[in-house]
Amino acid sequence: MSAPAVPALPWLPDREAAGRFVRLTYTLAVTEWKLRFFNSALGYLWTLARPLMFFAVLYVVFSQIAKVGDTVKHYPAYLLTAIVLFTFFAEATGNSVQSLVDREALLRKIRFPRSVVPLSVCLTALFNLGMNLIAVTVFLFINGLYPNPRWLELPAFVLALALLACGVSLLLSSLFVRFRDIAPIWEVVSQMIFYGSPIFYTVSQYGSFAREMSLTPFVAILTQMRHALIDPTAPSAADAAGGMVYLLIPCAIIGAVFLLGVWAFRRASPMLAENL
Amino acid sequence: MSATYQPGVAAPSADAASSPPAVVVDRLDKTFKLPHNQPHTLKERVLHPFSSTTYEALEALRDVSFTVPQGEFFGIVGRNGSGKSTLLKCLAGIYEPTSGAVGVNGRLATFIELGVGFNPELTARDNVLINATMLGLTRKQAAARFEDIIAFAELEQFLDLKLKNYSSGMNVRLAFSTAVQVDADVLLVDEVLAVGDASFQQKCHDVFQRLKDEGKTILFVTHDMGSVERFCDRAMLLEKGEIVELGDPIPVGRAYNEMNFGRRTVTRPGEARYGDQHDAEIGSLWFEQGGQRVDALAFGEPAAICSELWVHETMEEAVFSVGLRNEAHLPVLRATTEWQDDFPNRLEGGSHYLVRLEFDCWFAPGRYDATPALAHGGRAEDIVDMREGLGAVLVHAVRHSGAIVDQPVRFEIESA
C-alpha cells in the first residue's frame, strides 16, 4: 500500500475543532448545572445553603468563641467572600477528580477532546460561583459595603482562581484513572489548603511567615480580595509580598500548575479510553 | 507507536476512482496490556516503586490492512471477540493504534452505541440537543433539525417528558433519529440496526439505503448476514484480530457461517441400529460439498451424502437408501437406489464401496441427520443394516424464509 492519504481526525486546533471543543464544554457544564438546579424546587437555595451553613458555623466559632475576627474589619463579609471563593476551587477540583471515570461510557463510545470533561466540571463550578457571588453582593450591601472601582478587580481574582482550578483538575482527573486513592488524598489536601489559607483569619496572623505565605497563590488572591472588596485599609497582596514584583511568583505558580495539568492530561489522553 | 494522522481534505468528486479512499487502514496492530495485578493506588506505587507489573498482552488486532473507497458500504463481520469493535474504536480515534496507521478522509461519525450521554433526568428535547452537540452539530444546526429528529422518531407527543419515563424502544428510536441527522462523510456503525419494532427497523433500513444512495461511506459491524448481503458492497471477516476473508459479501457471509458451524463435529449419542449386518455393514457417513468433507453445508449449493459399505456376502439385489430429517424429526429428503435404473444392484462380497448421493441443498438453515439403510431388494422388511442418525450436518444460509425447504423460486408479473 502506498503512503496512505489519511487525514482528518480533527486533532489540529482548527476553527471547527475549537468551536466544537467550546460547545461541548459549555453544553456539558450547562447540563450538569441545570440538573442540579432544576431538579429540586429549592435548587438555587441548596447551592447557596452549603457555603452559607459553612459560613454560619465558622462565624460562630471564630468570631463569637475564638474571637479571631475581632481585629478584622467587616469580618463576616470577608469570611463569606473567602468561603465562596474557596468553595469554587474545592468544588471544581473535587468534582473533577472522578469526572473521567464517571463518564466512562461517554469516553469509550464517542471521540471528543477528553479534556472537555474536567473542564466542563470547572465551568459548572464557575456558574455556581456566579450564583453565589450574587448572594455575596447582597450580603456586602447589608454590611454597608458598596460597589467601587476596586471591585473591578474581582474578575481577575476569579480568572486566576479558575486557571489554578483547571490546572489542578486536569492533573487530578488524569491521575485518578491510574491511582484511585487520589480522591481521598485530594480531600485531605483540600482541607489543608482551607485551613492553611487566610479564610477565617487574615494574612497578618501568619506572623513571621506572613511574607513567605503571601507568595502562594491562595494567600495572594485572598489578601488582594480583602483589600479590594472589603477593607481598603488592609494590606494589598503587593504590600504583603513586599512589592509588586513579588506578585509574579504567585502568578508563575498558577501558570506552572496550569501547564503541568495540561501536560499531564495530554500525556494520559491517548490511552484514557482503555485505561478507564 | 507510529500512528499518523495527516490532515487532508475530503474531495467530494463524482469520479470515485480519482478521489482518495474514505478509509485507509495500514498494518494496524492493537494490543491491550492486561496487567496481572495493577497497582491501583498511589500508596502501593510509593511503597513498591520498583515492583514491575507483569502484563498479559492481548492482541486484539493483528496486521489489519484494508482500504474502503468513497461511497462504499463496507461490512465487518466476525465472531464475538474477533476484534470488530476494537477496529471500529481505532478508526474512531477512541483507541490509539499500537502500531500501524488508520486514516479517515472526510467527516466522521461514530455510532458505537446509541444514545450515549442520554440523561434520564432530562427531557427528550434537552437530550436531543445535547446528544447532537456531542455528535458534532452546532446548536443552530441541532435546533434546526430538531423537528425532523422528533418526527422520525415519532415522538411528537412526548417531547417534554423526562427520558426516564420513556420505554426502552422510544429511547432507542430517539437516539437513532438523532444519530442519523449528523452530517458525516464516513459513518462507523456498530450493530445498531437491531433496534425497535419491525416498522422502525424498516425505517432504519430505508435510512441506510438513503445514505448509500447519497454516496456516504459506511463501515458496518454486524452479525446479521442478511443485512450484509442486502447493503454491503464488500465485506470483511475478522477472526482473532486478523482478516480471514475480504471481498464480495456473499462468500464472506458464507465463510462466517462456516466459521461458526463448520469446525464443530456434530455427533449423535446412542444411534439406533437395525438389521443383522450379516451380509453387509454400513461404515461411516459424511457430507461433502465442493469435493470436501464438511460438517456444515452452504445453502443453495450442490452437496452430497457419502457412505461406506462393507459387503461380506454378495448381494444380488441390494437397495441402498438415505433419509434426511430436520431437528423436528420431519423427513425432508428420502432417496433410494431402487428408483434409479442405472444403479448396479449387485454388490460383490468382500468388497468395499463408497456410495454418493448428490443433491442440491435447498433445506432451511438448521441441523439435519441422515439415516442410511441397506436392504435386500424386493423384500422391504429384509434390512441388512440401518443406522439411524448416523451422520449429522448443519445447513447455514444468509437468508432464512422460515419454511422447511427453500427451493429456488422466481416471481413473474404481467398485466392481465
Side-chain angles (χ1 to χ4, degrees):
Chain A
M1 198 178 299
S2 63
V6 288
L9 288 170
W11 187 224
L12 296 171
D14 56 68
R15 248 190 86 203
E16 198 188 322
R20 182 165 184 240
F21 184 90
V22 172
R23 265 198 311 281
L24 266 176
T25 311
Y26 179 75
T27 307
L28 285 182
V30 168
T31 310
E32 194 62 33
W33 194 59
K34 256 190 184 171
L35 279 172
R36 236 186 292 171
F37 239 71
F38 296 109
N39 255 1
S40 63
L42 299 173
Y44 178 50
L45 287 182
W46 281 126
T47 53
L48 263 186
R50 248 177 67 159
L52 280 179
M53 290 294 288
F54 200 31
F55 161 74
V57 171
L58 289 176
Y59 179 71
V60 169
V61 170
F62 292 107
S63 140
Q64 307 302 318
I65 302 171
K67 309 284 183 198
V68 178
D70 287 359
T71 56
V72 181
K73 206 171 156 191
H74 296 303
Y75 181 67
Y78 176 72
L79 181 60
L80 181 65
T81 316
I83 287 176
V84 163
L85 288 179
F86 179 81
T87 304
F88 160 68
F89 178 78
E91 189 187 319
T93 54
N95 289 348
S96 293
V97 175
Q98 306 203 25
S99 59
L100 287 172
V101 175
D102 289 344
R103 289 177 193 266
E104 181 186 344
L106 219 56
L107 292 170
R108 277 179 184 273
K109 306 275 160 63
I110 299 186
R111 178 186 170 81
F112 60 94
R114 275 73 176 84
S115 50
V116 161
V117 171
L119 292 182
S120 73
V121 171
C122 292
L123 191 57
T124 306
L126 195 64
F127 293 155
N128 282 332
L129 174 65
M131 299 308 287
N132 287 343
L133 282 178
I134 295 175
V136 167
T137 311
V138 172
F139 193 80
L140 293 184
F141 286 169
I142 295 170
N143 277 271
L145 294 163
Y146 298 107
N148 62 60
R150 280 192 309 276
W151 282 32
L152 293 176
E153 287 178 32
L154 184 67
F157 307 148
V158 172
L159 179 71
L161 211 53
L163 273 179
L164 190 64
C166 288
V168 174
S169 297
L170 288 170
L171 180 67
L172 293 178
S173 58
S174 57
L175 280 178
F176 181 74
V177 173
R178 293 208 299 152
F179 304 115
R180 300 295 161 111
D181 53 353
I182 287 290
I185 290 174
W186 181 247
E187 261 178 51
V188 174
V189 173
S190 192
Q191 289 278 311
M192 283 163 60
I193 295 175
F194 177 79
Y195 287 105
S197 305
I199 290 171
F200 54 85
Y201 50 91
T202 58
V203 68
S204 58
Q205 265 134 339
Y206 285 122
S208 55
F209 294 108
R211 179 158 179 260
E212 286 75 14
M213 288 304 286
S214 297
L215 300 179
T216 62
F218 261 103
V219 180
I221 289 172
L222 291 172
T223 305
Q224 185 62 24
M225 182 276 287
R226 180 173 169 225
H227 174 75
L229 297 186
I230 313 290
D231 179 9
T233 62
S236 68
D239 297 339
M244 242 353 195
V245 176
Y246 290 100
L247 287 184
L248 287 176
I249 295 176
C251 290
I253 294 176
I254 292 175
V257 169
F258 183 76
L259 291 179
L260 176 71
V262 171
W263 173 79
F265 199 91
R266 284 191 73 135
R267 222 173 81 99
S269 174
M271 302 297 274
L272 266 185
E274 55 198 87
N275 285 338
L276 278 174
Chain B
M1 268 184 220
S2 66
T4 51
Y5 300 109
Q6 294 162 11
V9 189
S13 146
D15 183 11
S18 69
S19 59
V23 174
V24 177
V25 175
D26 188 21
R27 293 191 299 276
L28 174 67
D29 280 308
K30 178 69 199 171
T31 306
F32 291 104
K33 277 179 165 181
L34 305 176
H36 284 128
N37 51 344
Q38 186 171 14
H40 257 305
T41 62
L42 200 57
K43 188 192 98 193
E44 281 174 56
R45 198 51 185 262
V46 170
L47 289 181
H48 314 283
F50 301 112
S51 69
S52 60
T53 37
T54 49
Y55 290 100
E56 182 135 22
L58 179 81
E59 289 187 294
L61 292 173
R62 253 180 295 185
D63 199 27
V64 172
S65 299
F66 63 94
T67 306
V68 181
Q70 275 182 29
E72 188 169 78
F73 212 118
F74 188 80
I76 300 169
V77 301
R79 292 196 285 183
N80 290 332
S82 59
K84 305 183 299 280
S85 295
T86 306
L87 174 62
L88 225 53
K89 285 182 178 179
C90 285
L91 284 171
I94 293 169
Y95 289 158
E96 189 93 339
T98 306
S99 72
V102 293
V104 177
N105 209 345
R107 285 193 56 167
L108 180 78
T110 324
F111 312 138
I112 288 180
E113 193 179 294
L114 286 174
V116 171
F118 268 17
N119 192 311
E121 291 295 331
L122 293 174
T123 61
R125 188 189 297 276
D126 288 335
N127 269 309
V128 166
L129 296 178
I130 294 166
N131 200 239
T133 313
M134 302 253 23
L135 294 171
L137 292 187
T138 62
R139 283 186 100 67
K140 235 183 221 164
Q141 288 171 324
R145 291 174 204 188
F146 183 72
E147 296 296 320
D148 290 346
I149 292 173
I150 294 300
F152 185 84
E154 302 169 22
L155 292 170
E156 290 91 338
Q157 304 104 294
F158 308 105
L159 269 186
D160 293 304
L161 200 63
K162 282 187 181 177
L163 221 61
K164 63 179 173 189
N165 300 322
Y166 269 42
S167 74
S168 56
M170 288 157 84
N171 224 314
V172 164
R173 263 150 57 196
L174 189 65
F176 186 83
S177 314
T178 313
V180 296
Q181 285 296 326
V182 171
D183 294 313
D185 308 309
V186 181
L187 292 93
L188 306 179
V189 184
D190 195 351
E191 296 187 89
V192 289
L193 276 184
V195 298
D197 54 21
S199 88
F200 191 73
Q201 276 206 19
Q202 188 52 50
K203 274 178 119 171
C204 297
H205 283 144
D206 294 346
V207 167
F208 278 87
Q209 197 59 54
R210 194 198 77 211
L211 291 170
K212 193 175 170 176
D213 295 344
E214 284 172 6
K216 309 275 190 196
T217 310
I218 302 174
L219 274 72
F220 176 54
V221 167
T222 186
H223 286 290
D224 176 17
M225 293 309 122
S227 24
V228 170
E229 196 186 349
R230 181 163 168 192
F231 294 113
C232 295
D233 302 312
R234 283 194 309 154
M236 176 171 86
L237 175 62
L238 283 177
E239 173 69 1
K240 291 181 183 141
E242 287 174 289
I243 298 178
V244 178
E245 189 101 25
L246 175 70
D248 196 54
I250 293 173
V252 169
R254 185 165 298 152
Y256 172 76
N257 281 334
E258 274 165 11
M259 183 170 283
N260 269 319
F261 307 119
R263 306 288 161 246
R264 206 187 324 153
T265 314
V266 188
T267 47
R268 285 180 65 84
E271 55 146 317
R273 194 166 187 175
Y274 307 93
D276 58 10
Q277 293 118 36
H278 179 267
D279 293 344
E281 276 181 76
I282 296 173
S284 57
L285 178 143
W286 66 91
F287 291 82
E288 280 184 4
Q289 198 165 44
Q292 281 184 318
R293 233 172 134 137
V294 293
D295 293 316
L297 297 177
F299 175 83
E301 302 289 315
I305 301 174
C306 304
S307 186
E308 282 176 307
L309 300 180
W310 303 92
V311 182
H312 309 308
E313 304 288 333
T314 300
M315 296 169 68
E316 291 297 338
E317 269 187 279
V319 172
F320 180 75
S321 68
V322 181
L324 208 56
R325 297 182 306 190
N326 66 9
E327 270 162 293
H329 282 214
L330 285 171
V332 293
L333 173 92
R334 188 166 179 278
T336 160
T337 54
E338 257 183 322
W339 302 336
Q340 193 175 322
D341 293 337
D342 60 354
F343 194 85
N345 295 334
R346 184 186 155 90
L347 299 179
E348 294 294 336
S351 318
H352 177 205
Y353 293 94
L354 198 65
V355 199
R356 284 168 61 88
L357 170 66
E358 288 182 352
F359 65 104
D360 286 333
C361 181
W362 299 122
F363 305 118
R367 193 188 137 114
Y368 294 86
D369 64 36
T371 302
L374 187 63
H376 288 294
R379 291 173 288 171
E381 303 300 314
D382 194 1
I383 289 172
V384 178
D385 193 6
M386 172 169 153
R387 302 181 69 170
E388 198 175 276
L390 177 62
V393 74
L394 275 158
V395 173
H396 57 76
V398 286
R399 265 197 316 249
H400 193 177
S401 74
I404 299 177
V405 174
D406 282 327
Q407 58 170 312
V409 292
R410 196 183 132 70
F411 286 106
E412 276 183 15
I413 186 167
E414 58 192 36
S415 50

